[in-house]
Amino acid sequence: MSCFNQPENSLVGAHDHDWASDRNSHLTGEGFADFFVNVIASYKDHTAFHYRHNGEWHSLSFSELKQTVDPLVAWFASQQINSHSRIAIVSESRMEWPIVLFAAWLRGAIVVPLDEKMSASELQSAIDSFRPPMIAVSPSCFKHHQDTLIGKNILVMDMHQQYDDMISLTGLAPVDEIDYHCHLRQDAILIASTSSTSGDRKGVMLNWNNISHQINALGSCFNVGAQNAFLSVLPLHHMLELSCGLLTVLSKGARICYLGSLLPDEILQTIQTKSVTHMVGVPMLADMLGKRMRQYESRGKAIELSLGTLIIGGAQLNSENVTYFASHNIDLLQGYGLTEASPVVTLNLWPKMKPDSIGQPLPSVEVKIDTADKDSKTGEILVKGPNIMLGYYNDDALSQATIRQGWLRTGDIGYQDQDGYVYITGRLKNIIVLTSGKNVSAEEVEACIQTYPHVREVCVMGVQLFHNHHHSETVQICALIVLNDDVDKERIIDEVQHRCAQLSPYKRPQHILVYDHSLPKTATGKIKKQLAQSIARDLIMNQSRRDH
């Protein structure tokens, strides 16, 4: 029998925030339509977005946002987009992204955000799985995926240019009055696509109850108002950016800046010119900005930024960065979540932040530790609350295996201290979490490599490596392979790399390592991952010493 270790402070009210008294007044209606109307009415003359076009900054007020969304709602209606229709979005983060999202929701449609960096085969697989009758795509993504998207019902996400043979956001007829469809709070409004351990796509179904919980809970944890500005750099298909960096921000009347660049100099310049106070990111972003700021300081240039809070999710924070950013009066906040939880589960907030912890559960979220026996403090992290998904799209069996009696089985291993702070110590699922926050299925990469006939054994894993040049650790994908006898190792490595080119760039191994012995295994024949990681790390270090 499993045992649950549940500290008293691990449930509702683990933070010192009075969530009930800070309830977002825009969320009192039935669904997104009420939320949208209330936010527009409350902040109509405030700036909602800054965005760049052709190198110039433009602005859109909340009233102008409605004037841009409404014609698209009407056009969706003319295209028979109705309740429960599915609209896929394939785009980098840009001003048009939330416009399409909001218009789709105001027609009662279900939005399927897809990773714009998918390979052609992955995009085709997602289209086959979710069967959206319409696909909204940015100009750059259409150009990249033209062969896959040709013949589909396409909406080009471009407010500044018309196209001869496709509809874009430019030139849609203005409307005076428009009827919005009101989702029921329990209806699915989003299917977030994520990878399973087998490499197949999973569709995480979320409703307005899930998302409005995140808006309320996150809004209560951060001191955000109409005076604040957020810089959006994470992809909007990333649930942390969608829930925290878009919807929570707009609910408070704050403005969002879409830069369209990950260059550290451009990010720092935008923080200064647009008086950015908050950002949502991943550890790699913190590493990149910290490195650039240190370079400026080493040249005697003072760094003064308006940025006060950098919210980090997706992977573990570098504690040195926490200290460094704090010296510049920037709070680096660690969160933990997963798409199935809409996504945020815990936050590690100042001034009571604990090093190495992922923080305490959000208000109204419960965490339990499913331990192997009553004497153990460590086990699988289980989560329960209004943020838990409806289930997986078209996969009842997986849904029932993942959510049991209301508890979401995260696949992460950890423990809780007496104050309710949660710590992660490992993963049940064979998922590699990169420093960028991307999740990679080891089985998917292994399946790709195993199709090559000269590979006898393969083990794909994430290995944490320190880079002297970057002064930081990164998680890199390594493939440890055992080859058949009497083969040309260098030729095989080249051909394996060629096979891996069919994967998305972030899924491809940075290191393909040939091991001259059988991989270490348990008595039941399972590869010992930790020992394999040690072997891979030694091979990489030996190769590095030879190169130098």
Side-chain angles (χ1 to χ4, degrees), residues 275-492:
S275 301
V276 170
T277 57
H278 294 70
M279 283 181 68
V280 178
V282 292
M284 186 171 65
L285 176 68
D287 291 342
M288 182 176 65
L289 292 180
K291 176 187 174 184
R292 196 64 176 136
M293 291 166 66
R294 290 181 181 97
Q295 288 174 342
Y296 279 127
E297 289 172 334
S298 69
R299 300 170 190 164
K301 295 182 179 180
I303 299 292
E304 294 183 6
L305 297 174
S306 55
L307 186 67
T309 303
L310 180 52
I311 304 155
I312 298 294
Q316 190 63 38
L317 262 177
N318 182 332
S319 58
E320 291 184 6
N321 275 335
V322 175
T323 303
Y324 174 75
F325 279 94
S327 71
H328 289 273
N329 298 314
I330 300 172
D331 293 340
L332 213 58
L333 306 182
Q334 174 80 60
Y336 163 72
L338 57 165
T339 306
E340 289 85 345
S342 307
V344 183
V345 173
T346 66
L347 283 175
N348 204 10
L349 294 173
W350 290 94
K352 295 185 177 182
M353 174 182 273
K354 289 192 178 185
D356 302 321
S357 173
I358 55 172
Q360 296 171 298
L362 286 183
S364 75
V365 173
E366 303 176 44
V367 168
K368 289 183 179 182
I369 307 300
D370 186 4
T371 61
D373 58 74
K374 63 180 181 180
D375 296 322
S376 176
K377 294 182 179 180
T378 300
E380 184 178 5
I381 299 171
L382 309 185
V383 182
K384 187 177 186 180
N387 56 327
I388 302 306
M389 66 173 180
L390 295 172
Y392 293 111
Y393 177 71
N394 278 351
D395 199 334
D396 291 341
L398 182 60
S399 300
Q400 292 169 10
T402 306
I403 304 175
R404 302 177 192 172
Q405 296 181 326
W407 290 95
L408 174 71
R409 307 194 74 89
T410 67
D412 291 312
I413 304 299
Y415 65 94
Q416 248 179 327
D417 66 16
Q418 66 276 11
D419 298 317
Y421 285 78
V422 183
Y423 300 78
I424 290 182
T425 59
R427 297 181 70 84
L428 278 179
K429 301 174 182 178
N430 196 9
I431 294 288
I432 301 167
V433 182
L434 301 178
T435 314
S436 64
K438 292 277 192 181
N439 289 352
V440 178
S441 164
E443 285 92 343
E444 180 183 12
V445 183
E446 287 170 353
C448 178
I449 295 173
Q450 284 170 337
T451 61
Y452 193 73
H454 295 296
V455 175
R456 189 164 73 239
E457 296 182 87
V458 59
C459 178
V460 172
M461 70 212 89
V463 177
Q464 197 159 10
L465 300 171
F466 184 82
H467 286 270
N468 290 324
H469 178 67
H470 297 291
H471 300 290
S472 64
E473 288 187 336
T474 60
V475 175
Q476 299 189 13
I477 302 174
C478 300
L480 189 61
I481 61 177
V482 178
L483 302 177
N484 295 329
D485 296 332
D486 302 321
V487 293
D488 183 342
K489 294 181 181 180
E490 295 300 321
R491 180 178 65 84
I492 301 301

Side-chain angles (χ1 to χ4, degrees), residues 481-508:
I481 61 177
V482 178
L483 302 177
N484 295 329
D485 296 332
D486 302 321
V487 293
D488 183 342
K489 294 181 181 180
E490 295 300 321
R491 180 178 65 84
I492 301 301
I493 290 174
D494 288 342
E495 293 184 8
V496 168
Q497 288 175 331
H498 180 72
R499 295 216 170 201
C500 290
Q502 64 185 273
L503 300 169
S504 294
Y506 70 89
K507 297 180 181 179
R508 300 168 191 167

Side-chain angles (χ1 to χ4, degrees), residues 40 59 85 116 133 175 217 331 437 445:
I40 297 297
S59 297
S85 296
E116 78 279 6
V175 293
D331 293 340
V445 183

Side-chain angles (χ1 to χ4, degrees), residues 67-82 85-88 99-100 103-104 106-107 109 133-137 152-158 162-163 165-180:
Q67 293 165 12
T68 308
V69 167
D70 282 357
L72 185 55
V73 177
W75 184 79
F76 279 153
S78 73
Q79 300 299 301
Q80 308 304 312
I81 297 297
N82 296 305
S85 296
R86 290 178 298 282
I87 297 178
I99 289 172
V100 173
L106 292 170
R107 277 300 300 162
M134 180 171 293
I135 302 174
V137 59
K152 305 290 192 300
N153 192 13
I154 297 297
L155 169 69
V156 182
M157 298 166 62
D158 192 335
Q162 290 183 319
Y163 296 79
D165 52 352
M166 292 182 295
I167 296 293
S168 74
L169 299 183
T170 308
L172 293 178
V175 293
D176 294 326
E177 296 291 336
I178 190 74
D179 290 328
Y180 295 153

